[in-house]
Amino acid sequence: MRESKREAALEAAKQVVQREGVTALSYESVAAEAGLTKGGLLYHFPSREDLLLALHEHVAGQWEQCMRDEADITEVDNTNDDAALSSTAKTAAYVRASQNPDRAELLLTLEAISDAAARAVWNGVYDRWAAPVPPSADDDQAMARFIARLAADGLWLYESISERPMSQEIRERLVAEIIALGDAQRPTSGGPYTP
């Protein structure tokens, strides 16, 4: 199975999870979805666990690529990598790329809670892009970025589970407000938020 078929298999696996959930993921379901043979899948994914971990890597990688795109980082341009971005730029990219999730992404992130290898895949992306817990309650900028992360995560969850989608105009305003929150200058005394 060439690399393009491997990618096709992972996209098919994502579609199975999207439609039927993680428990429906099997060689048979992925092979049928991708139009491949079970033997072809076994060549690259010797076990269901290998297939599932590769799927976590695939979906988490797609999300990280969205953040790289939002931050205008290209694979060719090594001078502008994610490590060189400011915390504020990473927060903005995280907020913008964390919207409009699909069901497969939600289900896989929930499934990763009970799988250390899968959790490590997702945590790697979070470690590179998401604002960490502030080292101190007195670090106002770190606190603002972390609050923005929590707000973006809340919007992501809302969009994942809500049956009432919001308009593009509302979403754009919320994203802009969350990004502004993460970039807000807050008083050093820990006083109230000031945009």
Side-chain angles (χ1 to χ4, degrees):
M1 182 163 45
R2 293 188 330 253
E3 186 62 26
S4 62
K5 289 192 176 186
R6 184 179 192 279
E7 292 298 312
L10 290 171
E11 278 300 311
K14 182 179 174 182
Q15 290 308 310
V16 169
V17 171
Q18 176 80 10
R19 191 174 52 248
E20 301 172 41
V22 177
T23 57
L25 190 67
S26 67
Y27 287 120
E28 292 78 13
S29 64
V30 174
E33 184 78 23
L36 301 169
T37 66
K38 183 177 173 183
L41 290 175
L42 283 165
Y43 177 76
H44 280 285
F45 312 111
S47 70
R48 182 183 183 276
E49 291 74 25
D50 292 327
L51 173 61
L52 188 54
L53 182 59
L55 182 57
H56 280 284
E57 292 166 348
H58 179 71
V59 174
Q62 288 177 331
W63 179 45
E64 185 161 23
Q65 186 57 51
C66 285
M67 286 183 274
R68 292 177 66 82
D69 292 346
E70 289 292 342
D72 199 25
I73 298 173
T74 62
E75 294 297 329
V76 178
D77 182 10
N78 292 329
T79 62
N80 188 19
D81 66 6
D82 59 295
L85 289 175
S86 70
S87 297
T88 301
K90 284 184 179 184
T91 297
Y94 178 87
V95 172
R96 287 192 303 269
S98 295
Q99 306 315 308
N100 301 311
D102 57 32
R103 183 173 185 253
E105 187 179 340
L106 172 65
L107 295 174
L108 288 167
T109 56
L110 291 173
E111 193 273 337
I113 293 168
S114 61
D115 181 329
R119 193 170 52 249
V121 169
W122 290 96
N123 283 340
V125 177
Y126 285 118
D127 290 346
R128 287 185 295 277
W129 288 93
V133 174
S136 160
D138 297 326
D139 187 338
D140 295 331
Q141 280 301 303
M143 189 68 76
R145 285 189 298 273
F146 188 65
I147 291 168
R149 172 192 177 171
L150 295 176
D153 290 347
L155 180 55
W156 178 86
L157 183 61
Y158 175 85
E159 289 187 309
S160 295
I161 63 175
S162 178
E163 292 182 5
R164 295 188 176 119
M166 65 185 75
S167 71
Q168 185 66 26
E169 179 183 30
I170 297 290
R171 182 182 299 108
E172 288 173 5
R173 171 78 189 270
L174 288 169
V175 168
E177 294 285 340
I178 293 169
I179 289 171
L181 177 63
D183 192 25
Q185 295 296 320
R186 294 179 53 134
T188 56
S189 65
Y193 166 73
T194 54

